[in-house]
């Protein structure tokens, strides 16, 4: 019972942090609405750790969080593709979204943002900003 509560609290905290960070830093589009993933992450994980349960819910949570930008999230191998409204050519395009999403996905995964006018590879963006 306690791990179920911890899972829900941790999921909500991660989603709130994503929404606040994005809203505070993004000039790209309107800030996303923070929405919790459905169901109990810990219960759905079948006894695995709270961290794994949270990670299992991150892709649907990212999609719901960026729903106002018509986000669609897919996993292709170890690359998380986030297709959404926005402008890939704007100054600092993708910076805030890449930072937030990269903190939420698994360590072995990378993120790519797909906008109507172009694609931003998050690891390449971070490297270019160094």
């Amino acid at each position: 019972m306690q791990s179920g509560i911890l899972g829900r609290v941790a999921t909500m905290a991660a989603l709130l942090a994503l929404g606040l960070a994005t809203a505070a830093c993004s000039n790209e589009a309107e800030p996303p609405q923070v929405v919790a993933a459905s169901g109990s992450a810990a219960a759905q994980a079948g006894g695995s750790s709270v961290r794994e349960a949270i990670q299992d819910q991150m892709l649907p949570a990212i999609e719901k969080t960026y729903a106002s930008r018509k986000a669609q999230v897919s996993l292709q191998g170890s690359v998380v593709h986030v297709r959404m409204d926005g402008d890939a050519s704007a100054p600092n395009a993708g910076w805030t979204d890449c930072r937030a999403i990269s903190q939420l996905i698994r360590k072995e995964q990378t993120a790519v943002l797909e906008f109507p006018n172009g694609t931003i590879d998050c690891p390449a963006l971070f490297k270019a900003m160094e």
Side-chain angles (χ1 to χ4, degrees), residues 3 6-7 12 17 27 29 33 51 53 66-67 74-75 86 96 103 129:
S3 66
L6 290 175
M12 295 295 285
N27 292 338
Q33 297 286 332
R51 180 170 173 76
Y66 287 93
S74 64
L75 180 62
T96 302
Q103 294 297 312
M129 299 298 274

Side-chain angles (χ1 to χ4, degrees), residues 58-71:
M58 277 302 137
L59 298 184
I62 290 168
E63 191 168 280
K64 288 181 180 182
T65 299
Y66 287 93
S68 67
R69 292 171 64 188
K70 300 177 185 152

